[in-house]
Amino acid sequence: MPDETEPRLLTREVTLESLVDVRHEVERCAAREGLADLALYRFVVAVNELTTNAVRHGGGRGQLILWRSGDRLHCRVTDRGPGPPAHRQLRRPGADAHGGRGLWLAHHGVERLTVDDAGVTASARLI
């Protein structure tokens, strides 16, 4: 979470109806902060996976906070769902799996993905 010296760039409640708008807002914000090209694309895809998971598995809604800390951009997504199992590994699901790709995809799209009891944080370096 951002501390008091790190202003929030974007704070939004996420619902099924707002997923597309939130994705576009995250993209504009991240681009304004300096993410570009493939890094921007990967960050936006990762955040979109996190927000979609929040809506799908977290009771139909979630909360997104985007902030900058030094040369890194962070996005925290929280919801009221149970969260992934504590022992869950971020491994690529099998081809016949009916889910489980969201966190895996997000993990591979950002510099760091942190999953804890309160939510998920995706971080990317602004180069």
Side-chain angles (χ1 to χ4, degrees):
M1 291 291 292
D3 66 29
E4 294 175 12
T5 64
E6 300 165 335
R8 294 176 181 199
L9 303 171
L10 180 64
T11 301
R12 283 289 304 267
E13 181 172 314
V14 183
T15 63
L16 180 61
E17 295 77 24
S18 70
L19 277 172
V20 172
D21 290 338
V22 169
R23 183 176 67 236
H24 291 304
E25 285 184 72
V26 167
E27 182 175 17
R28 284 191 298 271
C29 236
R32 221 178 16 250
E33 292 300 313
L35 275 183
D37 304 321
L38 188 55
L40 174 62
Y41 171 79
R42 287 180 172 168
F43 186 77
V44 171
V45 167
V47 171
N48 186 66
E49 289 299 326
L50 301 181
T51 55
T52 300
N53 277 355
V55 169
R56 189 169 188 198
H57 304 292
R61 61 184 358 95
Q63 181 74 22
L64 174 144
I65 301 170
L66 185 71
W67 75 98
R68 182 177 179 162
S69 175
D71 68 346
R72 287 186 170 75
L73 191 62
H74 307 277
C75 187
R76 179 118 174 119
V77 177
T78 58
D79 60 52
R80 296 191 183 273
H87 64 278
R88 181 176 178 160
Q89 303 255 339
L90 292 176
R91 285 186 259 173
R92 183 179 185 175
D96 59 341
H98 291 282
R101 290 175 182 81
L103 287 178
W104 179 82
L105 185 61
H107 171 72
H108 288 281
V110 294
E111 179 183 12
R112 183 175 186 181
L113 186 75
T114 306
V115 181
D116 59 35
D117 292 340
V120 182
T121 303
S123 303
R125 186 181 304 243
L126 302 167
I127 301 176

